[in-house]
Amino acid sequence: MLCQSCGQRPATTHIKSIVNGQLAETHLCAHCAKEQGYSNLLDGSLLGSFGGFGSLLGGLLAGPAAEAAPEAAPQQVKRCPACGASFPEISRSGQMGCAQCYETFRAQLLPVIQRIHGAARHRGKSPGGSALRVTEQNTQLAPAPQPAETPLEEKKRLLKEAVAAQDFEQAAVLRDQIKEMESHG
């Protein structure tokens, strides 16, 4: 597809906007997009007005608590033993100094991970199943412990097993018990 502005170069920037309730699409080459004030988010020029991608990530790391607290004196700042980076430096730049920083600043990073991802525990494709979790006390990845099965979960599991075994009479009884439990709980 050619640029709709110059008609000479291939369109690499595709802009969708709603004007008076109608969807309008514009396809521009990089040169025309830059002339019209559009740019690629990943090249840093759009984020340049915000201070770049590191600054954007640094804003997430800093959070409201870090903005309100004054920076501690240099001798009191906790530093990574491998690279010497401090958490305030990481917050400003938005970049970890090294892999050891993740362990060194674990307590400060967990709330940020929670805020960004909605959870500090990776669930993978099958939540609660074979997902791994990082434990607070131990830095090793350990299989997540299986939570105790509630009576309702047990009935649902038994229902699936009864249907798989084609024991439809038992499945009907279990289905009725599940409906009864769900209506009271």
Side-chain angles (χ1 to χ4, degrees):
M1 170 181 299
L2 289 177
C3 173
Q4 290 178 328
S5 180
C6 69
Q8 297 173 357
R9 293 177 287 272
T12 57
T13 303
H14 308 279
I15 299 125
K16 291 184 179 184
S17 58
I18 298 177
V19 179
N20 296 328
Q22 298 293 320
L23 177 66
E25 293 186 55
T26 307
H27 308 284
L28 303 171
C29 66
H31 178 75
C32 292
K34 193 170 190 175
E35 281 183 350
Q36 294 182 23
Y38 298 104
S39 62
N40 185 350
L41 178 66
L42 298 176
D43 73 2
S45 57
L46 181 61
L47 285 172
S49 59
F50 300 111
F53 186 72
S55 178
L56 179 66
L57 185 58
L60 289 172
L61 288 171
E67 291 167 4
E71 192 171 319
Q75 66 272 18
Q76 296 175 350
V77 175
K78 182 178 182 180
R79 295 200 169 271
C80 174
C83 70
S86 68
F87 192 74
E89 291 168 355
I90 291 170
S91 296
R92 276 192 298 277
S93 70
Q95 297 176 351
M96 295 292 167
C98 67
Q100 181 64 37
C101 288
Y102 290 97
E103 294 303 323
T104 304
F105 303 112
R106 177 179 195 76
Q108 292 102 329
L109 289 172
L110 280 176
V112 175
I113 292 168
Q114 173 77 30
R115 195 168 58 230
I116 293 171
H117 294 289
R121 180 178 173 192
H122 177 68
R123 297 213 177 252
K125 289 184 179 179
S126 54
S130 60
L132 296 177
R133 72 179 177 124
V134 178
T135 60
E136 291 286 333
Q137 300 80 14
N138 189 351
T139 59
Q140 298 289 327
L141 289 178
Q146 295 297 322
E149 195 172 49
T150 65
L152 180 61
E153 290 170 336
E154 180 184 10
K155 295 282 185 191
K156 288 181 178 181
R157 180 181 51 79
L158 291 172
L159 174 63
K160 286 181 183 178
E161 290 174 5
V163 170
Q166 297 185 358
D167 185 357
F168 300 114
E169 292 175 10
Q170 179 65 23
V173 170
L174 289 166
R175 178 202 62 211
D176 294 341
Q177 291 174 352
I178 290 170
K179 283 183 183 179
E180 180 71 23
M181 292 172 85
E182 288 178 334
S183 68
H184 288 97

